[in-house]
Amino acid sequence: MLNRTSEVHINELPVEILWNVFQYCNEVTSGGDPDSGSAITLDSVQATNPIILSHVSKYWRSTALELRQLWSFIRVADDTPLEKTLEWLHRSRDSPLDILLFFHYDREKAQKVGNILLRYIGRWRQLHANVSPPALSLSFWDFVLGDGPNVSISLSKAPRLK
């Protein structure tokens, strides 16, 4: 019987190559180019790859945690734990942030997330928001629309209104 570790060469990749692989995975799964004109939807965005990559091995985990750009793609929805958002912001350190917000019913959470993200407004590279009227907090969005770099807002239709 062969020792499993004797056949695993993936942990022998130089850290620079592994970083390139991680960055490529992050670009592919974050929807690629948001300026392409195609609609960004919650289903088109896969934001779990940094977690998946960090669970391959101890070496991959330590490398993923060191690559702050890997954590700079922030996706927040009604059901995203606030702790996850805070952890990704912490792991991204000083990297520019690309933020996707999807809020459709939880106005209180949208406001909390908005207040947290405003602390990092100097690092925003892009902010794309898809919000429905129940989650809309006018004071936050008025501020963002006035001061946020590269902001796009998509107001969803209220499906329950006729």
Side-chain angles (χ1 to χ4, degrees):
M1 182 191 252
L2 293 174
N3 182 350
R4 290 181 73 193
T5 57
S6 67
E7 293 186 31
V8 178
H9 299 286
I10 198 77
N11 289 333
E12 297 172 9
L13 284 174
V15 71
E16 297 82 7
I17 292 175
L18 197 54
W19 281 11
N20 286 335
V21 170
F22 288 178
Q23 287 177 318
Y24 175 77
C25 289
N26 199 38
E27 289 172 12
V28 169
T29 59
S30 64
D33 181 16
D35 296 326
S36 67
S38 60
I40 297 173
T41 65
L42 190 57
D43 292 334
S44 70
V45 177
Q46 174 56 268
T48 57
N49 268 330
I51 299 294
I52 292 169
L53 293 171
S54 71
H55 285 105
V56 171
S57 69
K58 288 180 184 179
Y59 174 60
W60 279 44
R61 178 171 176 73
S62 65
T63 304
L65 292 175
E66 286 297 314
L67 185 59
R68 63 181 181 257
Q69 297 89 341
L70 192 62
W71 306 96
S72 65
F73 179 71
I74 311 291
R75 175 199 153 276
V76 187
D78 289 302
D79 62 347
T80 305
L82 199 55
E83 296 78 22
K84 177 182 175 183
T85 303
L86 292 168
E87 185 61 29
W88 283 44
L89 287 165
H90 171 73
R91 289 179 183 180
S92 69
R93 293 188 282 272
D94 61 350
S95 293
L97 300 173
D98 296 313
I99 304 166
L100 291 176
L101 301 176
F102 298 91
F103 286 106
H104 298 287
Y105 57 85
D106 194 340
R107 182 185 184 126
E108 183 179 328
K109 183 166 185 188
Q111 188 62 44
K112 284 181 185 177
V113 168
N115 289 336
I116 290 168
L117 292 175
L118 284 175
R119 292 184 232 154
Y120 300 89
I121 196 168
R123 292 177 42 205
W124 292 6
R125 182 170 39 203
Q126 296 181 56
L127 170 68
H128 297 278
N130 186 319
V131 295
S132 294
L136 191 60
S137 171
L138 293 179
S139 60
F140 171 71
W141 297 111
D142 285 344
F143 179 77
V144 168
L145 290 172
D147 294 342
N150 198 12
V151 175
S152 73
I153 305 289
S154 169
L155 295 176
S156 297
K157 295 178 182 176
R160 295 185 184 165
L161 294 178
K162 294 183 180 183

